[in-house]
Amino acid sequence: MKSLLADKMCVTFVFLGALLFFFLAWPLFKTVTASSPALLWETLLEVEVRNAILRTFYASFLATAIAFFLGVPLAYMLARTEFPGQELVQGLIDLPIVVPHSAAGIALLMFFGRRMWLGRLFERVGIRFVSNFPGIVIALLFVSLSFLVNAAREGFEAVDPRLERVARTLGASPWQAFWRISFPLAWHSILSGLILMWARGLSEFGAVVILVYHPMVAPVLIYERFESFGLNYARPVAALLILICLAVFVLLRLTARKRGAG
Amino acid sequence: MKSLLADKMCVTFVFLGALLFFFLAWPLFKTVTASSPALLWETLLEVEVRNAILRTFYASFLATAIAFFLGVPLAYMLARTEFPGQELVQGLIDLPIVVPHSAAGIALLMFFGRRMWLGRLFERVGIRFVSNFPGIVIALLFVSLSFLVNAAREGFEAVDPRLERVARTLGASPWQAFWRISFPLAWHSILSGLILMWARGLSEFGAVVILVYHPMVAPVLIYERFESFGLNYARPVAALLILICLAVFVLLRLTARKRGAG
Amino acid sequence: MNVLVENALVVQNLAVNLGDFYLQDFNLEVANGEYYVILGPTGAGKTVLLESIAGLHPVEGGRILLAGENLSALPPERRGIGFVYQDYMLFPHLNVAQNIAFGLTLRGEPAAVIAERVAELAQLLGIAELLHRVPRTLSGGEQQRAALARALIVKPRLLLLDEPLSALDPETSLSLQRELARLHRELGTTTIHVTHDFEEAVALGDRIAVLNEGQLVQVGPPEEIFRRPATRFVARFVGARNIFAGELRHLDNGYSHLQLPAIDIAVLTELTGRVHASLRPEDIVLSEEPLHSSARNCFRGRIVEIAERGMHIAVTVSIPPAFTCVITRRSLEELGLHVGREIYLSFKASAVHIFGG
Amino acid sequence: MNVLVENALVVQNLAVNLGDFYLQDFNLEVANGEYYVILGPTGAGKTVLLESIAGLHPVEGGRILLAGENLSALPPERRGIGFVYQDYMLFPHLNVAQNIAFGLTLRGEPAAVIAERVAELAQLLGIAELLHRVPRTLSGGEQQRAALARALIVKPRLLLLDEPLSALDPETSLSLQRELARLHRELGTTTIHVTHDFEEAVALGDRIAVLNEGQLVQVGPPEEIFRRPATRFVARFVGARNIFAGELRHLDNGYSHLQLPAIDIAVLTELTGRVHASLRPEDIVLSEEPLHSSARNCFRGRIVEIAERGMHIAVTVSIPPAFTCVITRRSLEELGLHVGREIYLSFKASAVHIFGG
């Protein structure tokens, strides 16, 4: 197709694209390379940094696990059935992408706050959300849920419903048809969704910083160090986090490619 | 298909889905309804709030406009040509979705900071990024670019390349084939991408708060008010912003549906 | 009602509504052990009909009785009805053995029993070597055999086949068609087979039902459908052809004779056994005297009917059996043909098309 | 070289590599004003060949000369070659008039001139009423007419048609086929038409080129391709048929006679004018004496060739023209046929298939 992008147009487009490429690539590259590996290692050994990163991993993992139990059934219903208000539900799932995350944090605070109805209910069974670990999980769940639900829905949509129907005629209950046919066949999509949601959870800042400043997740730690001590102290933590996300992202791409090939 | 989701399984799935639905819908609904319309109106009349909202709109608009000029050609190349490193470029476009936005803010600061090479270059022509309006634009461009590029790429991929080829045989240069055939046919996708990118820009907090705390965009204002004055002062601003995003989001859905029908 | 007991399947006043497709007051009766073929053009809603019988589509009204039992309240997994789709629908994440075993695995049968039954059915369908392959590495014919084995392993009371041969190339289709006939002889499972292919219907069906616009317009043995089409639609859909069933006898000199009840006709084929033969009406020549020509088949018969068909005249001559041939108006006049007259009828061995039994 | 001047298009040693498709050392010569049909099975790379000529695919080697000018360095928009795809490829965001006008609009012609030319071409192609419709509301035949008008409005030096009739139903295809013949008579545009349909090739082509595995295996007038297939592939692909071109004469009594150079044959048709006729070899009966039968056509001829073809024997009888018929081995023996012998040859009027001219 090279002949189609001849001469001037091709040169213009490549130039514009290259501008964008360097705009995206260079800051990330520079941040990662500005700190020496020794410094990065040292940073990783700091208790505060390590705890923040592990806390982020764990909170995102828990949010993803909750989303798996609640979101995969919803994704299946969105893919397989038609019900009134379906478009409303689908819209709501997508909404967290465009709602400002600081506003989302405020909204969650209104709901899970200690003086709120639900917050008090949970407090009675010993779960406190504000400025506490469960609050991080709730915030991550709220803002990154849509990634899993949409991936799982697309996965289920790609499974021919007639496969389930054949399974039914062979004696499978709806439940068996789901677990033995639809779920295994949509698994690669669901797995992609889980990884993407987890990665997205790692990077969340706006909603968490309002609901739970302390204990700190890694993105909040970066902000805290930057505000309190300046760029040079925030940079190694940022570099670490970018590297981790890069690794997760490559893993995600490989999963997606494997799904494409399988 | 109702018969496929019989009995227990259906009830379980509906229950799990409903849990998720209320988890998403209720906090947003509560935030919006907790403030009376009069209070919302009063909040909108505050100069600081109004300026922050208008600044957010304008910065996101500028970022979207820059992305249009740089990103649409890149999307076209990704859709139409094969070049070495294509997967790398596509990966880089998607990367901002998973990179923590506070880390992205640090990275941009490393690049456009006043003591950095590029920052100094721009300062000479009178453009300052840190704690200044252009910095907001740069931050929004960085984090929400992928939404436009991916939407435009999918739009171009849906245009049969043979339409361009026929146009070429009729005397169109590559440039004319692009503007008269591919661009109009992909326009609905590009428009969706533009709206989505703009909406995503409105909601950005993490990258902006590091690069440009003052002058404040709306999400930063919410954070500032929450930190300085508490929930009750932050809530009306959050409610306003959620309503605006909701309106944009409905607009986006309608655009997407029109594209589906057309 | 007697009809409910004698028949394996009775469908009464079925109503199905599925957006663009609509079935109303639909009735169907299939006898025990019968091979029942529903013949209709593509898009006549045949798949929806079968899915409704299997409980895979909601039904708006009417009754479906299987061996006298009303199925309406039963979910598909409790109906005991096997289903085979045109495009196989093998479970892509299971290998062939696991696919075939699926129904028994669900029932929690012991592994040894399952393995034995799978081997038995794979043997029966000639796919014993493929058990460890995954579906996407199989040819279409192999996939359809596996799908059949999977449906048969649970010993269904009724087997529904939705255009099972349509996705296959002609040769594979023919061989699997013979396989279906053999399976039905050996297992005797009551079967409804839906198709748009007329030769397939003739070769397999005990009875053929012609479906048009949501109604069965004619039901009867293959012979009857072709000899006496009840409506113009049936006539147009099955075409005006001469169809015969008979036994092939190979002669030493490389020829075959097809033995019909009263006559033998010379044909060219490599098939053997019981087959069908079709002969286009344009390929038959009528003459007053026996022809000494390259036309190998020449018989004397009596004209039983003369009918106009557009530019042609259709003349039916009974030898027996009855042959229909088309001639021009001028030939009609020159030969002075009229009903009751005796005439010679000739056709070439190469003009007889032999197809599966 | 003389060949470069006389021919509108000369392709020399063309090499195209496109992943799974590969063209090497490809040569082609099309005369000025000629209607050149490339006939080949689906998937033989015909589209890639045409796109390479139009400059839409990179070429690895060889020369393409149009009216003596080397096109290699020219981008597609400067080659003056019209292109029509099988699936029309009308611009979906423009109406029919804007689609047709596209080429002139690019050149910045005055609106009045464009409107006039569009009206003229729409008239010529019978789509004058559709000018304000958008493509997706048009039938396939209407879309293809619009695509033709769009290609013709820029007065291309060469028109490339990539299976232009394949996506249409048989009736529309036939009517558009006659339209193509008429357009070519009126405009005289040098045309390369690619198809896998053998009757289409015969009906339209001044010459036919048979393409197999990236090479033209035979080039010649239609008659020659069918009479003397150069390779086994050509013979198998075009089939063993009797093809004749002639003028139809309607008789008062409802018959038509097709006038061949030496004989008239009775046929049944509603067509008129210059047509082609095909006759399957199985439909011809040979006999020692003229037959008094319903076969309307009976001629005496001389056997010029006897060849084995599997289970059949192919006998070619020249009346003239030469007819090929297949008979069984036993008929051959009984009739005592040998080359040079005179024999009678009969076939029914209804066995002659008449198709477009």
Side-chain angles (χ1 to χ4, degrees):
Chain A
M1 234 62 23
K2 266 167 202 161
S3 69
L4 277 180
L5 282 176
D7 315 309
K8 275 185 294 183
M9 174 161 148
C10 188
V11 171
T12 314
F13 276 29
V14 165
F15 176 73
L16 295 175
L19 259 182
L20 213 50
F21 180 83
F22 284 109
F23 171 64
L24 288 175
W26 197 246
L28 295 176
F29 181 73
K30 195 118 184 263
T31 308
V32 171
T33 53
S35 315
S36 67
L39 181 59
L40 287 182
W41 183 245
E42 207 175 287
T43 309
L44 193 60
L45 291 184
E46 281 179 52
V47 175
E48 194 183 26
V49 172
R50 212 172 52 222
N51 279 350
I53 289 178
L54 289 177
R55 186 177 298 121
T56 314
F57 279 15
Y58 186 51
S60 195
F61 172 78
L62 282 182
T64 306
I66 295 172
F68 176 78
F69 285 110
L70 300 181
V72 169
L74 183 64
Y76 183 71
M77 284 198 298
L78 286 170
R80 275 288 181 273
T81 65
E82 282 178 23
F83 54 86
Q86 181 160 24
E87 205 161 351
L88 181 73
V89 174
Q90 180 60 51
L92 193 70
I93 296 290
D94 293 338
L95 197 54
I97 295 174
V98 294
V99 165
H101 288 177
S102 50
I106 298 288
L108 286 170
L109 202 56
M110 301 269 312
F111 199 49
F112 291 101
R114 254 178 291 177
R115 282 167 308 169
M116 304 303 159
W117 172 80
L118 203 70
R120 266 184 293 182
L121 191 76
F122 272 102
E123 190 134 7
R124 255 185 232 172
V125 294
I127 299 177
R128 200 155 54 81
F129 291 100
V130 180
S131 295
N132 204 0
F133 183 75
I136 301 174
V137 177
I138 289 294
L140 298 189
L141 180 63
F142 188 88
V143 297
S144 50
L145 178 67
S146 46
F147 290 91
L148 173 62
V149 175
N150 283 332
R153 179 177 50 73
E154 280 163 24
F156 285 126
E157 276 168 358
V159 177
D160 196 317
R162 291 183 299 161
L163 289 172
E164 291 172 13
R165 291 186 211 160
V166 166
R168 295 294 301 278
T169 66
L170 293 169
S173 66
W175 190 247
Q176 287 172 317
F178 176 77
W179 278 113
R180 286 174 177 266
I181 307 299
S182 311
F183 186 80
L185 287 173
W187 170 241
H188 266 300
S189 290
I190 296 172
L191 184 63
S192 287
L194 288 171
I195 298 176
L196 187 60
M197 177 174 171
W198 186 71
R200 182 63 194 72
L202 296 189
S203 73
E204 180 51 27
F205 171 58
V208 177
V209 80
I210 285 193
L211 205 62
V212 189
Y213 198 103
H214 284 287
M216 281 190 282
V217 289
V220 175
L221 182 69
I222 294 174
Y223 177 70
E224 154 89 4
R225 294 211 163 183
F226 174 70
E227 286 293 295
S228 310
F229 311 107
L231 180 59
N232 283 337
Y233 291 84
R235 200 177 51 202
V237 187
L240 264 181
L241 225 59
I242 289 173
L243 282 176
I244 290 167
C245 288
L246 215 59
V248 173
F249 185 68
V250 169
L251 178 69
L252 180 73
R253 288 247 136 191
L254 291 180
T255 311
R257 195 188 303 173
K258 192 175 159 200
R259 178 179 46 157
Chain B
M1 236 57 22
K2 265 165 201 160
S3 68
L4 277 181
L5 281 176
D7 318 310
K8 276 184 294 183
M9 174 160 147
C10 187
V11 171
T12 315
F13 276 29
V14 165
F15 175 74
L16 294 175
L19 259 182
L20 212 50
F21 180 84
F22 285 109
F23 171 66
L24 286 176
W26 198 245
L28 294 175
F29 180 74
K30 199 122 179 259
T31 308
V32 171
T33 53
S35 314
S36 68
L39 180 60
L40 287 182
W41 182 243
E42 210 175 284
T43 310
L44 193 59
L45 290 184
E46 281 180 52
V47 175
E48 193 185 28
V49 173
R50 214 173 51 222
N51 278 350
I53 289 178
L54 290 178
R55 186 177 298 121
T56 314
F57 279 16
Y58 186 53
S60 194
F61 172 78
L62 282 183
T64 307
I66 293 172
F68 177 78
F69 285 110
L70 300 181
V72 169
L74 183 64
Y76 183 72
M77 283 198 297
L78 285 171
R80 276 287 181 275
T81 65
E82 283 177 22
F83 53 88
Q86 182 160 23
E87 206 162 351
L88 180 73
V89 174
Q90 181 60 51
L92 192 69
I93 296 289
D94 293 337
L95 197 54
I97 296 175
V98 295
V99 165
H101 288 176
S102 50
I106 298 287
L108 285 171
L109 202 56
M110 302 268 311
F111 199 48
F112 290 101
R114 253 179 291 177
R115 283 168 306 170
M116 305 303 159
W117 173 80
L118 203 70
R120 267 186 290 183
L121 191 76
F122 271 101
E123 191 136 4
R124 253 186 233 171
V125 294
I127 300 176
R128 199 157 50 84
F129 291 101
V130 181
S131 296
N132 204 3
F133 184 75
I136 302 175
V137 177
I138 288 295
L140 298 189
L141 180 63
F142 188 89
V143 296
S144 51
L145 178 67
S146 47
F147 290 91
L148 173 62
V149 174
N150 282 333
R153 178 178 50 74
E154 280 163 23
F156 286 125
E157 276 169 358
V159 177
D160 195 318
R162 291 182 300 160
L163 289 171
E164 291 172 13
R165 291 186 211 161
V166 166
R168 296 293 301 278
T169 65
L170 293 167
S173 66
W175 190 246
Q176 286 172 317
F178 175 77
W179 278 112
R180 287 175 177 263
I181 306 300
S182 311
F183 185 80
L185 288 173
W187 171 241
H188 266 300
S189 290
I190 295 172
L191 184 63
S192 288
L194 288 172
I195 299 176
L196 186 62
M197 176 173 172
W198 186 70
R200 182 64 194 70
L202 295 189
S203 74
E204 179 52 26
F205 172 57
V208 177
V209 80
I210 285 195
L211 204 61
V212 188
Y213 197 104
H214 285 286
M216 281 190 281
V217 290
V220 175
L221 182 68
I222 295 174
Y223 177 70
E224 154 89 5
R225 292 209 163 185
F226 175 71
E227 288 291 296
S228 309
F229 311 109
L231 180 60
N232 283 338
Y233 291 84
R235 199 176 52 201
V237 187
L240 264 181
L241 224 60
I242 289 173
L243 282 176
I244 290 168
C245 288
L246 214 58
V248 173
F249 185 66
V250 168
L251 179 70
L252 181 72
R253 287 248 136 191
L254 291 180
T255 311
R257 196 188 303 174
K258 194 176 157 201
R259 179 181 45 160
Chain C
M1 266 154 59
N2 199 15
V3 71
L4 302 186
V5 181
E6 271 178 18
N7 286 304
L9 178 76
V10 176
V11 174
Q12 286 180 332
N13 307 318
L14 190 72
V16 179
N17 186 352
L18 207 96
D20 48 344
F21 178 68
Y22 197 77
L23 209 69
Q24 189 89 51
D25 260 341
F26 186 86
N27 292 283
L28 180 74
E29 285 166 15
V30 181
N32 233 319
E34 188 176 23
Y35 201 111
Y36 189 92
V37 176
I38 298 180
L39 179 64
T42 311
K46 293 170 293 185
T47 300
V48 174
L49 172 62
L50 291 195
E51 289 192 337
S52 302
I53 294 173
L56 298 166
H57 271 305
V59 158
E60 297 209 325
R63 294 202 300 168
I64 299 170
L65 308 176
L66 188 60
E69 179 192 10
N70 190 341
L71 294 184
S72 306
L74 291 182
E77 63 266 31
R78 307 240 301 273
R79 295 193 176 193
I81 294 178
F83 205 109
V84 175
Y85 280 106
Q86 176 180 349
D87 38 358
Y88 334 124
M89 286 295 138
L90 292 178
F91 305 131
H93 58 310
L94 304 179
N95 69 23
V96 172
Q98 291 166 328
N99 262 283
I100 298 175
F102 190 82
L104 296 184
T105 312
L106 284 174
R107 293 184 191 169
E109 303 267 352
V113 174
I114 294 180
E116 192 185 323
R117 283 284 291 152
V118 168
E120 193 180 305
L121 268 163
Q123 197 65 45
L124 188 65
L125 278 145
I127 48 172
E129 276 80 58
L130 308 173
L131 286 177
H132 293 286
R133 302 260 292 275
V134 287
R136 70 165 183 279
T137 65
L138 266 52
S139 74
E142 290 164 348
Q143 290 194 53
Q144 197 58 295
R145 282 161 195 268
L148 271 167
R150 181 179 63 175
L152 289 170
I153 204 166
V154 295
K155 296 185 177 155
R157 297 188 286 175
L158 174 66
L159 184 62
L160 304 179
L161 308 176
D162 183 14
E163 304 229 6
L165 309 178
S166 300
L168 307 173
D169 63 273
E171 207 169 319
T172 312
S173 167
L174 200 67
S175 97
L176 198 52
Q177 178 184 308
R178 307 190 131 228
E179 205 78 353
L180 282 173
R182 187 175 58 79
L183 280 173
H184 186 248
R185 269 198 311 278
E186 291 182 15
L187 305 175
T189 314
T190 310
T191 305
I192 299 182
H193 175 129
V194 142
T195 182
H196 65 263
D197 185 279
F198 125 98
E199 293 190 351
E200 201 176 302
V202 171
L204 286 168
D206 293 326
R207 280 193 297 163
I208 294 179
V210 182
L211 183 72
N212 185 32
E213 290 178 357
Q215 287 299 324
L216 295 184
V217 288
Q218 186 172 7
V219 182
E223 187 91 344
E224 190 184 304
I225 302 285
F226 296 111
R227 287 278 163 251
R228 289 187 293 280
T231 70
R232 181 190 294 243
F233 172 81
V234 177
R236 226 185 44 233
F237 189 67
V238 304
R241 313 191 201 198
N242 297 292
I243 309 270
F244 311 101
E247 194 81 31
L248 273 179
R249 194 159 48 88
H250 277 276
L251 302 183
D252 296 337
N253 53 8
Y255 281 84
S256 294
H257 272 192
L258 179 66
Q259 296 183 299
L260 304 185
I263 57 170
D264 280 12
I265 60 181
V267 298
L268 291 175
T269 181
E270 280 160 346
L271 293 179
T272 55
R274 195 154 178 84
V275 296
H276 285 82
S278 82
L279 178 63
R280 301 190 318 152
E282 301 91 301
D283 288 346
I284 301 176
V285 170
L286 298 180
S287 58
E288 289 175 327
E289 301 297 326
L291 296 184
H292 186 62
S293 75
S294 62
R296 288 249 52 80
N297 296 291
C298 187
F299 303 100
R300 198 162 84 141
R302 189 178 296 277
I303 297 177
V304 293
E305 192 185 351
I306 296 179
E308 297 231 5
R309 286 214 196 144
M311 290 191 297
H312 307 250
I313 311 284
V315 178
T316 308
V317 180
S318 175
I319 296 178
F323 286 76
T324 299
C325 61
V326 300
I327 60 172
T328 62
R329 187 174 309 278
R330 196 196 275 191
S331 296
L332 183 77
E333 287 157 15
E334 278 187 13
L335 293 171
L337 302 185
H338 54 82
V339 172
R341 205 193 131 172
E342 297 220 324
I343 190 92
Y344 286 89
L345 172 157
S346 312
F347 51 91
K348 304 178 74 169
S350 57
V352 181
H353 174 219
I354 301 293
F355 59 98
Chain D
M1 265 153 63
N2 200 15
V3 70
L4 301 184
V5 181
E6 270 177 17
N7 286 304
L9 178 75
V10 176
V11 174
Q12 287 180 331
N13 306 320
L14 190 71
V16 178
N17 185 353
L18 207 95
D20 48 346
F21 178 68
Y22 198 76
L23 209 70
Q24 190 89 48
D25 259 340
F26 187 86
N27 293 284
L28 180 75
E29 284 166 16
V30 180
N32 231 320
E34 188 176 23
Y35 201 112
Y36 189 92
V37 176
I38 298 180
L39 179 64
T42 311
K46 294 171 292 185
T47 300
V48 174
L49 171 62
L50 290 196
E51 289 191 339
S52 302
I53 293 174
L56 299 166
H57 272 305
V59 159
E60 298 208 325
R63 291 203 301 169
I64 299 171
L65 308 175
L66 188 60
E69 179 192 9
N70 191 341
L71 295 183
S72 306
L74 290 182
E77 63 267 29
R78 305 239 304 272
R79 294 194 178 193
I81 295 178
F83 204 109
V84 174
Y85 279 106
Q86 175 179 352
D87 39 359
Y88 334 127
M89 288 293 138
L90 292 178
F91 306 131
H93 59 308
L94 303 179
N95 70 22
V96 172
Q98 291 165 327
N99 261 284
I100 298 176
F102 190 82
L104 295 185
T105 313
L106 284 175
R107 294 185 190 168
E109 302 268 352
V113 174
I114 294 180
E116 192 185 320
R117 282 283 291 154
V118 168
E120 192 181 304
L121 267 163
Q123 197 65 45
L124 186 67
L125 278 145
I127 48 172
E129 276 81 56
L130 308 174
L131 285 178
H132 294 286
R133 302 259 293 276
V134 287
R136 70 165 183 278
T137 67
L138 266 53
S139 73
E142 290 164 348
Q143 290 194 52
Q144 197 57 296
R145 281 161 196 268
L148 271 167
R150 181 179 62 177
L152 288 171
I153 204 165
V154 294
K155 296 188 175 152
R157 297 189 284 177
L158 174 66
L159 183 62
L160 304 180
L161 308 175
D162 183 14
E163 304 229 7
L165 309 177
S166 300
L168 307 173
D169 64 272
E171 207 170 319
T172 311
S173 167
L174 199 67
S175 98
L176 199 52
Q177 179 184 307
R178 308 192 130 228
E179 206 78 353
L180 282 173
R182 188 176 58 79
L183 280 173
H184 186 248
R185 270 199 309 279
E186 290 182 17
L187 304 176
T189 313
T190 309
T191 305
I192 299 181
H193 175 130
V194 143
T195 182
H196 64 263
D197 185 279
F198 125 97
E199 294 191 350
E200 203 176 300
V202 172
L204 286 168
D206 292 327
R207 280 193 297 165
I208 295 178
V210 182
L211 183 71
N212 185 32
E213 291 178 356
Q215 287 300 325
L216 296 184
V217 287
Q218 186 171 10
V219 183
E223 186 91 346
E224 190 183 304
I225 301 286
F226 296 112
R227 286 279 161 253
R228 289 188 291 280
T231 70
R232 180 190 294 243
F233 172 81
V234 177
R236 228 186 42 234
F237 188 67
V238 303
R241 311 190 204 201
N242 297 291
I243 310 269
F244 311 101
E247 193 82 30
L248 274 178
R249 195 159 48 88
H250 277 278
L251 302 183
D252 297 337
N253 54 8
Y255 281 83
S256 293
H257 272 192
L258 179 67
Q259 296 184 297
L260 303 185
I263 57 171
D264 279 13
I265 61 181
V267 298
L268 291 175
T269 181
E270 280 159 347
L271 293 178
T272 55
R274 193 150 179 86
V275 297
H276 285 82
S278 81
L279 178 62
R280 304 191 315 153
E282 300 91 302
D283 289 346
I284 301 176
V285 169
L286 297 181
S287 57
E288 289 177 325
E289 300 298 323
L291 296 184
H292 186 61
S293 76
S294 62
R296 288 248 52 78
N297 296 290
C298 187
F299 303 99
R300 198 163 84 141
R302 189 179 294 279
I303 297 175
V304 293
E305 190 184 354
I306 296 178
E308 298 232 4
R309 286 217 195 140
M311 291 191 296
H312 307 251
I313 310 284
V315 179
T316 307
V317 180
S318 174
I319 297 180
F323 287 77
T324 299
C325 61
V326 301
I327 61 173
T328 60
R329 188 173 309 278
R330 196 196 275 191
S331 296
L332 183 77
E333 286 157 14
E334 280 188 10
L335 293 171
L337 301 184
H338 55 82
V339 172
R341 204 190 134 173
E342 297 221 325
I343 191 92
Y344 286 90
L345 171 157
S346 311
F347 51 91
K348 303 178 73 171
S350 56
V352 181
H353 175 220
I354 301 293
F355 59 99

